[in-house]
Amino acid sequence: MVNTTIKTTKSQEIFAAAQNLMPGGVSSPVRAFKSVGGQPIVFDHVKGAYIWDVDGNQYIDYVGTWGPAICGHAHPDVIGALHDALEKGTSFGAPSFLENVLAEMVIAAVPSIEMVRFVNSGTEACMAVLRLMRAFTNREKVIKFEGCYHGHADMFLVKAGSGVATLGLPDSPGVPKSATSSTLTAPYNDLEAVKALFEENRDQIAGVILEPVVGNAGFITPDAGFLEGLRELTHEHGALLVFDEVMTGFRIAYGGAQEKFGVTPDLTTLGKVIGGGLPVGAYGGRRDIMSMIAPAGPVYQAGTLSGNPLAMTAGIKTLELLQKPGAYEYLERITKKLADGLLQVAQETGHAACGGHISAMFGLFFTSGPVHNYEDAKNSDTAKFGRFHRGMLERGVYLAPSQFEAGFTSLAHTDEDIDQTIAIAREVLSSI
Ligand SMILES: Cc1ncc(COP(=O)(O)O)c(C=O)c1O
Ligand SMILES: NCC(=O)CCC(=O)O
């Protein structure tokens, strides 16, 4: 049963104390409710498709700890495997067979990946891949897209999505100009702009990195031919194509967006799902490029906890669950039902709206659209999104507290959860 009114006394007390202890009261900015108003709820525990807060309220969750919980929170198989793994120790700092197992699974699944290196977060994966792109091509410049987020490393904090977009921040203080002077940007879905950058910077561009489906400026899909066009342009100019599949990997399809769209990049970054809720990132790609990483080659990248046995275990179990027949068909069906339902309800209640989904990722903008890039996404009525978010939360639905984030479903979401969410959305959208 889901509540329709909420009392949040304990959440408020804990969050008030947190604000004196940690900047903004959080360990990551996207968790604060700055752009939607009100205060975050403080979680007590999570299970399946649900969250319980410290006041005992239950919510249907569409954040899924920002992506990893694709099998549902605290899946019994993952928890069971973790219990067994714990008995063997929490960290080795030495090779383990578990790394081979997860590496083989990733290599078998993701078309571009012939070799992989495990790290601890998506940010680390993207930092490392950029160094590798530059080393392999012996060029410094890189093209990223406005509104795409590749973690918080200096070189990527240029027109970034996610919390940077949510908070409307300019490029971050503390990032030296020298760190971003080689980061070129183009509007997403704009091949002509990319072409122009290649022309203006002949033989200087190491590569292009992008979210093949954007989730950090809201949910934005690649136009027909965009990914293919980038593949051609990068080939033509001797540059590398990198898909940041930290969010889309094993979510858009088992083999990620590259499987879904049939475009194979040179390198890929992963995170979120492959850690099954524990801290993991990875990067991988062509064997000739990956062989440049130390100690096989000269490009340095390291990590005390990288390949951590608990994280490998959770990742392996999660991928095994995703391999079960029908998993992606189920994710597609319930997510379509949710995305279509939300859009229909928004339109029926008189709101300008557009949105969509692919597999277990979805989005809804409060603008009639279409939304092809971050500039279009900014036309969304973010004040209305704030009211929508609050109304949903108060009735037991937990959405990402930002218009500029995608939503996530999981194998644990039932038809009843989706029906209930749409019914609640109708109630909220009728009143805002
Ligand atoms: C596409 C993309 N790349 C990179 C990152 C950074 O990953 P992390 O938060 O694990 O550092 C994220 C999410 O945060 C992401 O969505
Ligand atoms: N889509 C944005 C994220 O997943 C970021 C999570 C975080 O920075 O906490």
Side-chain angles (χ1 to χ4, degrees):
M1 285 304 290
V2 171
N3 53 290
T4 50
T5 54
I6 55 169
K7 182 170 82 55
T8 56
T9 325
K10 282 191 191 159
S11 270
Q12 286 181 31
E13 270 170 30
I14 294 170
F15 192 64
Q19 283 174 297
N20 280 325
L21 301 169
M22 296 170 283
V26 288
S27 296
S28 184
V30 297
R31 299 178 196 175
F33 278 26
K34 276 196 131 173
S35 76
V36 291
Q39 292 217 337
I41 51 161
V42 174
F43 286 26
D44 180 69
H45 65 284
V46 289
K47 184 78 183 165
Y50 310 116
I51 297 162
W52 285 264
D53 70 14
V54 287
D55 290 283
N57 302 302
Q58 183 182 341
Y59 306 84
I60 305 173
D61 178 28
Y62 293 105
V63 180
T65 186
W66 299 92
I70 195 166
C71 299
H73 291 288
H75 191 286
D77 291 6
V78 177
I79 300 294
L82 281 172
H83 275 297
D84 294 345
L86 259 176
E87 295 297 328
K88 293 180 149 190
T90 57
S91 177
F92 298 160
S96 80
F97 180 60
L98 294 166
E99 292 163 85
N100 290 24
V101 176
L102 189 57
E104 277 175 0
M105 291 175 99
V106 167
I107 290 166
V110 184
S112 66
I113 300 188
E114 294 173 351
M115 282 185 120
V116 64
R117 164 64 59 89
F118 292 113
V119 293
N120 302 289
S121 69
T123 295
E124 258 188 80
C126 293
M127 281 169 65
V129 93
L130 180 59
R131 185 176 304 143
L132 181 58
M133 287 161 79
R134 287 170 163 167
F136 185 78
T137 57
N138 205 15
R139 298 174 180 178
E140 282 202 7
K141 293 185 182 172
V142 63
I143 299 177
K144 81 173 277 289
F145 293 92
E146 293 163 16
C148 282
Y149 179 66
H150 305 294
H152 62 83
D154 283 357
M155 310 74 75
F156 292 120
L157 286 183
V158 184
K159 298 190 180 165
S162 186
V164 184
T166 302
L167 299 170
L169 297 176
D171 301 338
S172 177
V175 174
K177 281 200 186 66
S178 56
T180 55
S181 57
S182 300
T183 309
L184 312 175
T185 59
Y188 194 77
N189 274 325
D190 189 342
L191 268 185
E192 288 307 314
V194 178
K195 236 181 241 172
L197 287 174
F198 270 114
E199 292 303 330
E200 288 157 20
N201 297 275
R202 276 206 168 265
D203 302 328
Q204 296 174 58
I205 296 178
V208 176
I209 184 167
L210 78 156
E211 293 179 58
V213 174
V214 182
N216 285 295
F219 173 77
I220 305 174
T221 54
D223 290 346
F226 180 59
L227 300 176
E228 292 82 353
L230 292 177
R231 182 64 285 183
E232 277 169 29
L233 273 174
T234 44
H235 267 149
E236 194 184 314
H237 289 273
L240 298 175
L241 180 63
V242 183
F243 280 5
D244 177 352
E245 298 230 38
V246 168
M247 192 183 279
T248 53
F250 295 92
R251 176 166 288 279
I252 288 292
Y254 189 70
Q258 54 200 274
E259 176 194 305
K260 172 95 191 159
F261 291 99
V263 176
T264 306
D266 301 295
L267 293 164
T268 298
T269 55
L270 294 167
K272 300 191 189 275
V273 169
I274 59 156
L278 275 85
V280 181
Y283 61 104
R286 274 167 40 194
R287 183 175 293 275
D288 59 330
I289 308 177
M290 289 304 291
S291 300
M292 287 192 75
I293 300 291
V299 178
Y300 201 69
Q301 184 273 307
T304 301
L305 293 172
S306 294
N308 175 270
L310 296 180
M312 297 294 105
T313 298
I316 292 163
K317 269 292 154 203
T318 299
L319 298 197
E320 280 174 8
L321 289 165
L322 289 171
Q323 284 174 356
K324 290 197 174 160
Y328 287 88
E329 287 77 4
Y330 182 77
L331 292 170
E332 169 63 29
R333 186 179 69 72
I334 55 154
T335 316
K336 178 172 171 40
K337 180 172 168 178
L338 175 66
D340 288 355
L342 290 177
L343 188 58
Q344 193 184 340
V345 164
Q347 286 166 347
E348 280 173 15
T349 49
H351 298 281
C354 67
H357 81 288
I358 302 179
S359 179
M361 195 171 159
F362 69 94
L364 178 76
F365 287 112
F366 286 113
T367 170
S368 50
V371 174
H372 293 290
N373 56 36
Y374 181 41
E375 276 311 301
D376 296 341
K378 283 196 282 190
N379 290 329
S380 187
D381 184 341
T382 52
K384 185 181 281 181
F385 179 82
R387 295 194 294 280
F388 176 61
H389 182 272
R390 173 59 42 187
M392 297 299 280
L393 186 78
E394 285 173 350
R395 290 164 182 80
V397 177
Y398 191 78
L399 300 172
S402 167
Q403 175 70 97
F404 301 113
E405 296 285 359
F408 301 126
T409 49
S410 78
L411 291 172
H413 286 82
T414 62
D415 277 298
E416 292 72 47
D417 293 327
I418 305 294
D419 291 339
Q420 192 162 8
T421 304
I422 296 168
I424 290 172
R426 182 180 293 281
E427 198 179 307
V428 174
L429 289 164
S430 303
S431 68
I432 60 170

